[in-house]
Amino acid sequence: MAMSETENMLDYIGDKMDALDFDGDLDLNWDKEAHVIEVELTMYVEAKEGYEVEDQDGQTLEDGDEVDYADAILFYDQTRMNGQDYADNYLAVVPFEGKKGISQAAVVALFDQLQTLLDDGESDLLDFVDGTSDAETFSLQFDNAAYQAAVEAQPEAAKQTFYPYPKY
């Protein structure tokens, strides 16, 4: 598929978000000043009766309350900042190359991995909330090594196709 001249990385990431099979909420945020793009994701499950859950803000949820879990992925301009400085605040931090943007391979690999993570994560969150999980806390874990391997496994053409940073 040929890339249209007008499609930039924001459009391409948005298209990939739209294609995800996910029951929760997905939001795309672009901070023009900071040269970053965030993909926010929120999962929702209902708390089981008689099971107490403390949410990310430390609030205890009552029976039948909806439990939500939020996390985000940061796409950052590696020519302007060190994304690793923000790694603790995000599920994943993904660099792009200034105005050149991001490779198709990086985005495809990320969203393939994200789909699996969301599928497993929704199931794990449900297990956590209904008490069938032994875990003390719930959080999604992004496997950066698997992501890097997935990028490397992409076709050479995808590694050479870049979606530019949006002009404003």
Side-chain angles (χ1 to χ4, degrees), residues 53-131:
V53 176
E54 191 176 285
D55 70 11
Q56 285 169 294
D57 302 320
Q59 302 297 315
T60 300
L61 303 171
E62 303 297 319
D63 292 349
D65 275 356
E66 191 172 66
V67 175
D68 63 86
Y69 172 84
D71 218 326
I73 295 169
L74 178 72
F75 293 90
Y76 68 94
D77 183 343
Q78 66 185 7
T79 67
R80 291 174 156 243
M81 68 187 332
N82 178 359
Q84 293 311 310
D85 293 346
Y86 304 92
D88 290 347
N89 301 330
Y90 288 92
L91 177 60
V93 291
V94 180
F96 63 88
E97 298 178 38
K99 289 185 166 118
K100 183 177 180 182
I102 196 164
S103 73
Q104 182 180 14
V107 177
V108 168
L110 178 91
F111 279 90
D112 284 353
Q113 185 151 3
L114 185 58
Q115 182 66 67
T116 303
L117 188 65
L118 292 174
D119 292 346
D120 295 347
E122 283 183 300
S123 171
D124 293 348
L125 181 58
L126 203 54
D127 291 348
F128 177 73
V129 169
D130 72 13

Side-chain angles (χ1 to χ4, degrees), residues 26-74:
L26 291 167
D27 291 302
L28 187 60
N29 304 314
W30 176 30
D31 184 333
K32 295 177 188 130
E33 299 300 311
H35 279 237
V36 297
I37 295 171
E38 284 181 341
V39 174
E40 289 183 354
L41 48 106
T42 310
M43 296 180 188
Y44 303 96
V45 295
E46 218 166 272
K48 202 171 180 181
E49 279 191 42
Y51 192 69
E52 198 172 277
V53 176
E54 191 176 285
D55 70 11
Q56 285 169 294
D57 302 320
Q59 302 297 315
T60 300
L61 303 171
E62 303 297 319
D63 292 349
D65 275 356
E66 191 172 66
V67 175
D68 63 86
Y69 172 84
D71 218 326
I73 295 169
L74 178 72

